[in-house]
Amino acid sequence: CDITPSMADSDLAKIGEDEGEPVTLCIAAECTHENEPAVLLCVDSLAVLGDPAAGAASVTDTNKIRFVSKESTLLIAGTLNSAEALVSAIGPAVKKYEATNEEADSDIYVDGLIKTLKETTQARKVQVIDEYFRISFGFSFEEFKQHGRDRFTESHYLGLWEDIKRLRLGAELIFVTFSGGEPVILRIDQSGSV
């Protein structure tokens, strides 16, 4: 099934809006199973390989569920490479957090887990920004922060800061775990917010 119709055929084209990337589906919903708290996971199998702006390919046989640990699961959406990079960063951080905080109070545990996810996604976002500078200009983001005003005109320098604000992770995740026997469902969006 092709979900990316030509722009001329779409309803969005008729109202002047850009279609953007193909739509993917990830849903996590709290429920009960045999009178026990549970989470129902629902995903499609569409994955985008490469940069959608450059005519990326879509594949429809992708497993979009990643098991981080016995208690934690990630659902992925967005470009596959970007999602896998984010999962690779989050997985070890979550395992380490879980191992050192097993006995924590439920609320304290969830607060610490959110902090861990934020720190990990923020670190990944810095990597995305650094990759942007290395690919586009041949030097690191750190070098840009230190010497950017000397290397670019003022307007170009300020424009690059605007570009940085618009950079995204290229993926979104739904993080599912249990704390105190209750489901915890968290969303990590393209900007890195949890």
Side-chain angles (χ1 to χ4, degrees), residues 15 21 45 58-59 81 95-96 98 122 136 193:
I15 59 173
E21 297 180 28
S45 61
S58 296
V59 293
N81 290 345
K95 285 180 187 175
K96 180 179 177 184
E98 288 176 343
Q122 289 166 357
S136 300
S193 295

Short mmCIF file of all heavy atoms in Angstrom, two decimals, residues 15 21 45 58-59 81 95-96 98 122 136 193:
data_model
loop_
_atom_site.label_atom_id
_atom_site.label_comp_id
_atom_site.label_asym_id
_atom_site.label_seq_id
_atom_site.Cartn_x
_atom_site.Cartn_y
_atom_site.Cartn_z
N ILE A 15 -5.37 22.52 -0.09
CA ILE A 15 -5.45 23.62 0.87
C ILE A 15 -4.09 24.27 1.09
O ILE A 15 -3.93 25.11 1.94
CB ILE A 15 -6.05 23.15 2.21
CG1 ILE A 15 -5.23 22.02 2.84
CG2 ILE A 15 -7.49 22.76 2.04
CD1 ILE A 15 -5.67 21.63 4.24
N GLU A 21 6.49 13.85 5.91
CA GLU A 21 6.91 12.46 5.89
C GLU A 21 5.71 11.51 5.88
O GLU A 21 4.63 11.87 6.32
CB GLU A 21 7.77 12.17 7.13
CG GLU A 21 9.04 12.96 7.15
CD GLU A 21 9.87 12.65 8.38
OE1 GLU A 21 9.78 11.53 8.90
OE2 GLU A 21 10.61 13.53 8.80
N SER A 45 4.03 -1.45 10.29
CA SER A 45 5.35 -1.98 9.94
C SER A 45 6.05 -1.11 8.91
O SER A 45 7.00 -1.54 8.28
CB SER A 45 5.21 -3.41 9.40
OG SER A 45 4.40 -3.42 8.24
N SER A 58 10.53 3.65 1.45
CA SER A 58 9.72 3.13 2.55
C SER A 58 9.68 1.61 2.44
O SER A 58 9.58 1.08 1.35
CB SER A 58 8.29 3.67 2.47
OG SER A 58 8.28 5.06 2.63
N VAL A 59 9.77 0.94 3.58
CA VAL A 59 9.64 -0.51 3.60
C VAL A 59 8.51 -0.86 4.57
O VAL A 59 8.27 -0.14 5.53
CB VAL A 59 10.95 -1.23 4.02
CG1 VAL A 59 12.02 -1.03 2.98
CG2 VAL A 59 11.44 -0.75 5.37
N ASN A 81 17.06 4.74 10.69
CA ASN A 81 18.41 4.98 11.21
C ASN A 81 18.40 5.92 12.41
O ASN A 81 19.11 5.70 13.39
CB ASN A 81 19.32 5.54 10.11
CG ASN A 81 19.65 4.52 9.06
OD1 ASN A 81 19.44 3.31 9.24
ND2 ASN A 81 20.15 4.98 7.93
N LYS A 95 18.69 0.67 31.15
CA LYS A 95 19.12 -0.54 31.87
C LYS A 95 19.93 -0.19 33.11
O LYS A 95 19.73 -0.76 34.19
CB LYS A 95 19.96 -1.44 30.95
CG LYS A 95 19.14 -2.18 29.93
CD LYS A 95 20.05 -3.04 29.07
CE LYS A 95 19.28 -3.67 27.93
NZ LYS A 95 20.15 -4.42 27.02
N LYS A 96 20.84 0.77 32.97
CA LYS A 96 21.65 1.19 34.11
C LYS A 96 20.76 1.81 35.18
O LYS A 96 20.91 1.51 36.37
CB LYS A 96 22.71 2.19 33.65
CG LYS A 96 23.60 2.68 34.75
CD LYS A 96 24.65 3.65 34.24
CE LYS A 96 25.49 4.18 35.38
NZ LYS A 96 26.45 5.18 34.92
N GLU A 98 17.52 1.30 35.71
CA GLU A 98 16.70 0.25 36.32
C GLU A 98 17.49 -0.57 37.32
O GLU A 98 17.00 -0.89 38.41
CB GLU A 98 16.12 -0.66 35.24
CG GLU A 98 15.05 -0.02 34.41
CD GLU A 98 14.55 -0.89 33.27
OE1 GLU A 98 15.23 -1.88 32.90
OE2 GLU A 98 13.47 -0.59 32.74
N GLN A 122 18.78 14.53 25.07
CA GLN A 122 19.53 15.77 24.88
C GLN A 122 20.94 15.49 24.36
O GLN A 122 21.43 16.20 23.47
CB GLN A 122 19.58 16.57 26.18
CG GLN A 122 18.24 17.17 26.55
CD GLN A 122 18.18 17.67 27.98
OE1 GLN A 122 19.12 17.54 28.76
NE2 GLN A 122 17.04 18.24 28.35
N SER A 136 28.11 19.43 6.97
CA SER A 136 27.88 20.67 6.21
C SER A 136 29.11 21.55 6.08
O SER A 136 29.32 22.19 5.05
CB SER A 136 26.76 21.48 6.85
OG SER A 136 25.56 20.75 6.88
N SER A 193 11.89 16.30 23.57
CA SER A 193 11.10 16.48 24.80
C SER A 193 10.52 15.14 25.24
O SER A 193 10.14 14.33 24.42
CB SER A 193 9.95 17.46 24.56
OG SER A 193 10.46 18.73 24.27
#
